[in-house]
Amino acid sequence: MNTLIIVDDDATNVGLLKMLFELDGYSVLACKTIQEATSAAASGADAFIIDCYLAQGMSGLNLLNDIRAGQTAVDSNAITIMVSGDHRLEKEALASGANAFFLKPYSPNELSKKLQILLSKKGT
C-alpha cells in the first residue's frame, strides 16, 4: 500500500482528497503545516500532494525544496505534486522539482490518475 501525505490547510480539500485516495487504496496522512508533514514523513511516504499556499504565510514550495535537498526523512526523489490557485507558481514549482502541477480548481479524478501514472513509472 502506498503512503500519501497531503499538505493543505483547507479542511474541505483535505477531506475530499483523503476520502478519494483512501478509496483508491492509499494510506493517507493529512497535514496542515510543513512541520506536520516533516514529522509524518519520518514514518515514510511514497508521494506528496502539497498546496503552494499554507496558513501563516508558509509556502509549500519550501517543503518541496526540503524534500529535493534531502532534508526530510523521505527519498529526495519522492513523487511530489504541487497544487495552487495561482498559475504563476507552476513554472517555479516544476523548476524546483515537482513531478506535476495542478491549478485549482482541478479534477480530483485527474489528480488521482496522474499520481497513479507517476507511481507506476517510479516502480519501473
Side-chain angles (χ1 to χ4, degrees):
M1 176 183 296
N2 287 315
T3 299
L4 171 63
I5 296 177
I6 299 172
V7 187
D8 192 334
D9 59 349
D10 184 319
T12 303
N13 282 346
V14 170
L16 174 66
L17 292 176
K18 188 174 187 325
M19 181 177 64
L20 172 74
F21 285 107
E22 286 176 343
L23 288 171
D24 285 346
Y26 294 88
S27 172
V28 180
L29 303 169
C31 302
K32 294 180 182 179
T33 66
I34 291 171
Q35 293 81 6
E36 287 179 19
T38 301
S39 294
S43 60
D46 300 294
F48 292 82
I49 296 173
I50 306 170
D51 190 1
C52 289
Y53 291 114
L54 301 171
Q56 302 168 347
M58 288 189 273
S59 172
L61 292 169
N62 291 338
L63 177 56
L64 171 62
N65 290 326
D66 288 349
I67 292 167
R68 294 299 181 242
Q71 297 177 353
T72 64
V74 297
D75 178 358
S76 63
N77 293 315
I79 301 298
T80 306
I81 299 174
M82 301 300 295
V83 299
S84 178
D86 186 347
H87 68 89
R88 297 170 296 180
L89 294 174
E90 180 175 12
K91 188 174 182 178
E92 182 179 357
L94 295 173
S96 295
N99 297 94
F101 180 90
F102 278 77
L103 182 65
K104 291 180 179 182
Y106 52 82
S107 162
N109 287 331
E110 290 301 314
L111 179 63
S112 177
K113 287 178 189 176
K114 183 65 172 183
L115 181 59
Q116 289 173 358
I117 290 167
L118 290 168
L119 285 169
S120 69
K121 285 181 181 178
K122 187 173 182 177
T124 59

PDB file of all heavy atoms in Angstrom, residues 1-4 17-29 46 112 115-116 119:
ATOM      1  N   MET A   1       0.846  -1.177   0.000  1.00  0.00           N
ATOM      2  CA  MET A   1       0.000   0.000   0.000  1.00  0.00           C
ATOM      3  C   MET A   1       0.893   1.242   0.000  1.00  0.00           C
ATOM      4  O   MET A   1       1.802   1.352   0.807  1.00  0.00           O
ATOM      5  CB  MET A   1      -0.907   0.004   1.237  1.00  0.00           C
ATOM      6  CG  MET A   1      -1.744   1.265   1.352  1.00  0.00           C
ATOM      7  SD  MET A   1      -2.780   1.378   2.828  1.00  0.00           S
ATOM      8  CE  MET A   1      -3.899   0.034   2.595  1.00  0.00           C
ATOM      9  N   ASN A   2       0.636   2.151  -0.926  1.00  0.00           N
ATOM     10  CA  ASN A   2       1.398   3.391  -0.999  1.00  0.00           C
ATOM     11  C   ASN A   2       0.906   4.383   0.046  1.00  0.00           C
ATOM     12  O   ASN A   2      -0.296   4.489   0.290  1.00  0.00           O
ATOM     13  CB  ASN A   2       1.255   4.030  -2.380  1.00  0.00           C
ATOM     14  CG  ASN A   2       2.035   3.286  -3.440  1.00  0.00           C
ATOM     15  OD1 ASN A   2       3.183   2.920  -3.234  1.00  0.00           O
ATOM     16  ND2 ASN A   2       1.409   3.056  -4.578  1.00  0.00           N
ATOM     17  N   THR A   3       1.849   5.101   0.629  1.00  0.00           N
ATOM     18  CA  THR A   3       1.524   6.129   1.612  1.00  0.00           C
ATOM     19  C   THR A   3       1.620   7.489   0.953  1.00  0.00           C
ATOM     20  O   THR A   3       2.617   7.822   0.312  1.00  0.00           O
ATOM     21  CB  THR A   3       2.483   6.065   2.819  1.00  0.00           C
ATOM     22  OG1 THR A   3       2.340   4.786   3.441  1.00  0.00           O
ATOM     23  CG2 THR A   3       2.173   7.150   3.826  1.00  0.00           C
ATOM     24  N   LEU A   4       0.573   8.283   1.129  1.00  0.00           N
ATOM     25  CA  LEU A   4       0.459   9.605   0.544  1.00  0.00           C
ATOM     26  C   LEU A   4       0.312  10.628   1.658  1.00  0.00           C
ATOM     27  O   LEU A   4      -0.499  10.441   2.568  1.00  0.00           O
ATOM     28  CB  LEU A   4      -0.768   9.642  -0.376  1.00  0.00           C
ATOM     29  CG  LEU A   4      -1.198  10.982  -0.940  1.00  0.00           C
ATOM     30  CD1 LEU A   4      -0.109  11.572  -1.837  1.00  0.00           C
ATOM     31  CD2 LEU A   4      -2.508  10.831  -1.696  1.00  0.00           C
ATOM     32  N   LEU A  17      -9.887  14.868  -0.731  1.00  0.00           N
ATOM     33  CA  LEU A  17      -8.737  14.119  -1.263  1.00  0.00           C
ATOM     34  C   LEU A  17      -8.445  12.875  -0.436  1.00  0.00           C
ATOM     35  O   LEU A  17      -8.138  11.817  -0.977  1.00  0.00           O
ATOM     36  CB  LEU A  17      -7.506  15.015  -1.342  1.00  0.00           C
ATOM     37  CG  LEU A  17      -7.569  16.134  -2.374  1.00  0.00           C
ATOM     38  CD1 LEU A  17      -6.327  16.999  -2.284  1.00  0.00           C
ATOM     39  CD2 LEU A  17      -7.755  15.588  -3.774  1.00  0.00           C
ATOM     40  N   LYS A  18      -8.542  13.002   0.871  1.00  0.00           N
ATOM     41  CA  LYS A  18      -8.278  11.860   1.751  1.00  0.00           C
ATOM     42  C   LYS A  18      -9.249  10.720   1.430  1.00  0.00           C
ATOM     43  O   LYS A  18      -8.835   9.574   1.260  1.00  0.00           O
ATOM     44  CB  LYS A  18      -8.384  12.289   3.215  1.00  0.00           C
ATOM     45  CG  LYS A  18      -7.937  11.229   4.207  1.00  0.00           C
ATOM     46  CD  LYS A  18      -7.943  11.817   5.616  1.00  0.00           C
ATOM     47  CE  LYS A  18      -7.374  10.966   6.693  1.00  0.00           C
ATOM     48  NZ  LYS A  18      -7.513   9.566   6.674  1.00  0.00           N
ATOM     49  N   MET A  19     -10.516  11.049   1.317  1.00  0.00           N
ATOM     50  CA  MET A  19     -11.518  10.033   1.016  1.00  0.00           C
ATOM     51  C   MET A  19     -11.254   9.410  -0.363  1.00  0.00           C
ATOM     52  O   MET A  19     -11.270   8.185  -0.508  1.00  0.00           O
ATOM     53  CB  MET A  19     -12.920  10.642   1.051  1.00  0.00           C
ATOM     54  CG  MET A  19     -14.027   9.646   0.775  1.00  0.00           C
ATOM     55  SD  MET A  19     -15.683  10.356   0.905  1.00  0.00           S
ATOM     56  CE  MET A  19     -15.656  11.562  -0.412  1.00  0.00           C
ATOM     57  N   LEU A  20     -10.987  10.238  -1.364  1.00  0.00           N
ATOM     58  CA  LEU A  20     -10.733   9.750  -2.716  1.00  0.00           C
ATOM     59  C   LEU A  20      -9.545   8.791  -2.748  1.00  0.00           C
ATOM     60  O   LEU A  20      -9.637   7.685  -3.288  1.00  0.00           O
ATOM     61  CB  LEU A  20     -10.467  10.927  -3.656  1.00  0.00           C
ATOM     62  CG  LEU A  20      -9.993  10.564  -5.056  1.00  0.00           C
ATOM     63  CD1 LEU A  20     -11.139  10.008  -5.882  1.00  0.00           C
ATOM     64  CD2 LEU A  20      -9.370  11.771  -5.741  1.00  0.00           C
ATOM     65  N   PHE A  21      -8.445   9.200  -2.154  1.00  0.00           N
ATOM     66  CA  PHE A  21      -7.238   8.374  -2.226  1.00  0.00           C
ATOM     67  C   PHE A  21      -7.332   7.135  -1.343  1.00  0.00           C
ATOM     68  O   PHE A  21      -6.763   6.099  -1.680  1.00  0.00           O
ATOM     69  CB  PHE A  21      -5.989   9.205  -1.922  1.00  0.00           C
ATOM     70  CG  PHE A  21      -5.607  10.099  -3.068  1.00  0.00           C
ATOM     71  CD1 PHE A  21      -5.802  11.455  -3.008  1.00  0.00           C
ATOM     72  CD2 PHE A  21      -5.085   9.562  -4.239  1.00  0.00           C
ATOM     73  CE1 PHE A  21      -5.475  12.276  -4.077  1.00  0.00           C
ATOM     74  CE2 PHE A  21      -4.747  10.361  -5.311  1.00  0.00           C
ATOM     75  CZ  PHE A  21      -4.948  11.731  -5.234  1.00  0.00           C
ATOM     76  N   GLU A  22      -8.051   7.208  -0.239  1.00  0.00           N
ATOM     77  CA  GLU A  22      -8.265   6.001   0.566  1.00  0.00           C
ATOM     78  C   GLU A  22      -9.111   4.994  -0.209  1.00  0.00           C
ATOM     79  O   GLU A  22      -8.850   3.792  -0.149  1.00  0.00           O
ATOM     80  CB  GLU A  22      -8.884   6.353   1.913  1.00  0.00           C
ATOM     81  CG  GLU A  22      -7.880   6.991   2.857  1.00  0.00           C
ATOM     82  CD  GLU A  22      -8.474   7.453   4.172  1.00  0.00           C
ATOM     83  OE1 GLU A  22      -9.725   7.597   4.280  1.00  0.00           O
ATOM     84  OE2 GLU A  22      -7.678   7.705   5.095  1.00  0.00           O
ATOM     85  N   LEU A  23     -10.100   5.480  -0.966  1.00  0.00           N
ATOM     86  CA  LEU A  23     -10.898   4.577  -1.806  1.00  0.00           C
ATOM     87  C   LEU A  23     -10.045   3.954  -2.904  1.00  0.00           C
ATOM     88  O   LEU A  23     -10.316   2.845  -3.344  1.00  0.00           O
ATOM     89  CB  LEU A  23     -12.085   5.330  -2.430  1.00  0.00           C
ATOM     90  CG  LEU A  23     -13.214   5.694  -1.463  1.00  0.00           C
ATOM     91  CD1 LEU A  23     -14.220   6.626  -2.148  1.00  0.00           C
ATOM     92  CD2 LEU A  23     -13.906   4.457  -0.927  1.00  0.00           C
ATOM     93  N   ASP A  24      -8.995   4.672  -3.317  1.00  0.00           N
ATOM     94  CA  ASP A  24      -8.063   4.142  -4.318  1.00  0.00           C
ATOM     95  C   ASP A  24      -7.021   3.204  -3.709  1.00  0.00           C
ATOM     96  O   ASP A  24      -6.163   2.683  -4.421  1.00  0.00           O
ATOM     97  CB  ASP A  24      -7.340   5.285  -5.027  1.00  0.00           C
ATOM     98  CG  ASP A  24      -8.208   6.017  -6.041  1.00  0.00           C
ATOM     99  OD1 ASP A  24      -9.282   5.490  -6.394  1.00  0.00           O
ATOM    100  OD2 ASP A  24      -7.808   7.117  -6.480  1.00  0.00           O
ATOM    101  N   GLY A  25      -7.070   3.029  -2.378  1.00  0.00           N
ATOM    102  CA  GLY A  25      -6.179   2.070  -1.729  1.00  0.00           C
ATOM    103  C   GLY A  25      -4.924   2.655  -1.106  1.00  0.00           C
ATOM    104  O   GLY A  25      -4.035   1.912  -0.695  1.00  0.00           O
ATOM    105  N   TYR A  26      -4.844   3.966  -1.012  1.00  0.00           N
ATOM    106  CA  TYR A  26      -3.675   4.601  -0.402  1.00  0.00           C
ATOM    107  C   TYR A  26      -3.862   4.732   1.101  1.00  0.00           C
ATOM    108  O   TYR A  26      -4.982   4.868   1.589  1.00  0.00           O
ATOM    109  CB  TYR A  26      -3.463   6.019  -0.962  1.00  0.00           C
ATOM    110  CG  TYR A  26      -3.089   6.065  -2.413  1.00  0.00           C
ATOM    111  CD1 TYR A  26      -4.067   6.108  -3.407  1.00  0.00           C
ATOM    112  CD2 TYR A  26      -1.762   6.073  -2.806  1.00  0.00           C
ATOM    113  CE1 TYR A  26      -3.731   6.163  -4.746  1.00  0.00           C
ATOM    114  CE2 TYR A  26      -1.412   6.123  -4.143  1.00  0.00           C
ATOM    115  CZ  TYR A  26      -2.405   6.163  -5.103  1.00  0.00           C
ATOM    116  OH  TYR A  26      -2.066   6.218  -6.425  1.00  0.00           O
ATOM    117  N   SER A  27      -2.759   4.735   1.803  1.00  0.00           N
ATOM    118  CA  SER A  27      -2.742   5.150   3.203  1.00  0.00           C
ATOM    119  C   SER A  27      -2.465   6.648   3.170  1.00  0.00           C
ATOM    120  O   SER A  27      -1.448   7.085   2.617  1.00  0.00           O
ATOM    121  CB  SER A  27      -1.626   4.418   3.953  1.00  0.00           C
ATOM    122  OG  SER A  27      -1.478   4.949   5.245  1.00  0.00           O
ATOM    123  N   VAL A  28      -3.372   7.454   3.727  1.00  0.00           N
ATOM    124  CA  VAL A  28      -3.281   8.908   3.589  1.00  0.00           C
ATOM    125  C   VAL A  28      -3.053   9.569   4.939  1.00  0.00           C
ATOM    126  O   VAL A  28      -3.769   9.309   5.898  1.00  0.00           O
ATOM    127  CB  VAL A  28      -4.567   9.481   2.944  1.00  0.00           C
ATOM    128  CG1 VAL A  28      -4.469  10.995   2.810  1.00  0.00           C
ATOM    129  CG2 VAL A  28      -4.834   8.829   1.594  1.00  0.00           C
ATOM    130  N   LEU A  29      -2.049  10.437   4.980  1.00  0.00           N
ATOM    131  CA  LEU A  29      -1.784  11.266   6.152  1.00  0.00           C
ATOM    132  C   LEU A  29      -2.059  12.709   5.754  1.00  0.00           C
ATOM    133  O   LEU A  29      -1.503  13.188   4.757  1.00  0.00           O
ATOM    134  CB  LEU A  29      -0.338  11.111   6.607  1.00  0.00           C
ATOM    135  CG  LEU A  29       0.104   9.693   6.940  1.00  0.00           C
ATOM    136  CD1 LEU A  29       1.613   9.624   7.128  1.00  0.00           C
ATOM    137  CD2 LEU A  29      -0.604   9.215   8.193  1.00  0.00           C
ATOM    138  N   ASP A  46       5.421   7.640   0.051  1.00  0.00           N
ATOM    139  CA  ASP A  46       5.716   7.391  -1.352  1.00  0.00           C
ATOM    140  C   ASP A  46       5.463   8.618  -2.208  1.00  0.00           C
ATOM    141  O   ASP A  46       6.048   8.767  -3.274  1.00  0.00           O
ATOM    142  CB  ASP A  46       4.856   6.234  -1.872  1.00  0.00           C
ATOM    143  CG  ASP A  46       5.132   4.964  -1.101  1.00  0.00           C
ATOM    144  OD1 ASP A  46       6.255   4.444  -1.209  1.00  0.00           O
ATOM    145  OD2 ASP A  46       4.236   4.502  -0.365  1.00  0.00           O
ATOM    146  N   SER A 112      -5.802  11.964  -9.246  1.00  0.00           N
ATOM    147  CA  SER A 112      -5.610  10.559  -8.902  1.00  0.00           C
ATOM    148  C   SER A 112      -4.942   9.796 -10.040  1.00  0.00           C
ATOM    149  O   SER A 112      -4.008   9.019  -9.819  1.00  0.00           O
ATOM    150  CB  SER A 112      -6.958   9.922  -8.547  1.00  0.00           C
ATOM    151  OG  SER A 112      -6.803   8.553  -8.281  1.00  0.00           O
ATOM    152  N   LEU A 115      -1.246  10.728 -10.257  1.00  0.00           N
ATOM    153  CA  LEU A 115      -0.470  10.104  -9.188  1.00  0.00           C
ATOM    154  C   LEU A 115      -0.218   8.633  -9.504  1.00  0.00           C
ATOM    155  O   LEU A 115       0.904   8.142  -9.345  1.00  0.00           O
ATOM    156  CB  LEU A 115      -1.168  10.257  -7.842  1.00  0.00           C
ATOM    157  CG  LEU A 115      -0.425   9.662  -6.649  1.00  0.00           C
ATOM    158  CD1 LEU A 115       0.957  10.283  -6.480  1.00  0.00           C
ATOM    159  CD2 LEU A 115      -1.237   9.828  -5.379  1.00  0.00           C
ATOM    160  N   GLN A 116      -1.229   7.934  -9.983  1.00  0.00           N
ATOM    161  CA  GLN A 116      -1.058   6.525 -10.342  1.00  0.00           C
ATOM    162  C   GLN A 116       0.002   6.362 -11.429  1.00  0.00           C
ATOM    163  O   GLN A 116       0.838   5.462 -11.356  1.00  0.00           O
ATOM    164  CB  GLN A 116      -2.386   5.924 -10.802  1.00  0.00           C
ATOM    165  CG  GLN A 116      -3.381   5.741  -9.686  1.00  0.00           C
ATOM    166  CD  GLN A 116      -4.752   5.305 -10.188  1.00  0.00           C
ATOM    167  OE1 GLN A 116      -4.989   5.168 -11.386  1.00  0.00           O
ATOM    168  NE2 GLN A 116      -5.673   5.110  -9.261  1.00  0.00           N
ATOM    169  N   LEU A 119       3.518   7.054  -9.913  1.00  0.00           N
ATOM    170  CA  LEU A 119       3.974   5.949  -9.056  1.00  0.00           C
ATOM    171  C   LEU A 119       4.315   4.710  -9.874  1.00  0.00           C
ATOM    172  O   LEU A 119       5.273   4.012  -9.553  1.00  0.00           O
ATOM    173  CB  LEU A 119       2.917   5.627  -7.999  1.00  0.00           C
ATOM    174  CG  LEU A 119       2.833   6.638  -6.846  1.00  0.00           C
ATOM    175  CD1 LEU A 119       1.582   6.394  -6.006  1.00  0.00           C
ATOM    176  CD2 LEU A 119       4.075   6.582  -5.973  1.00  0.00           C
TER     177      LEU A 119
END
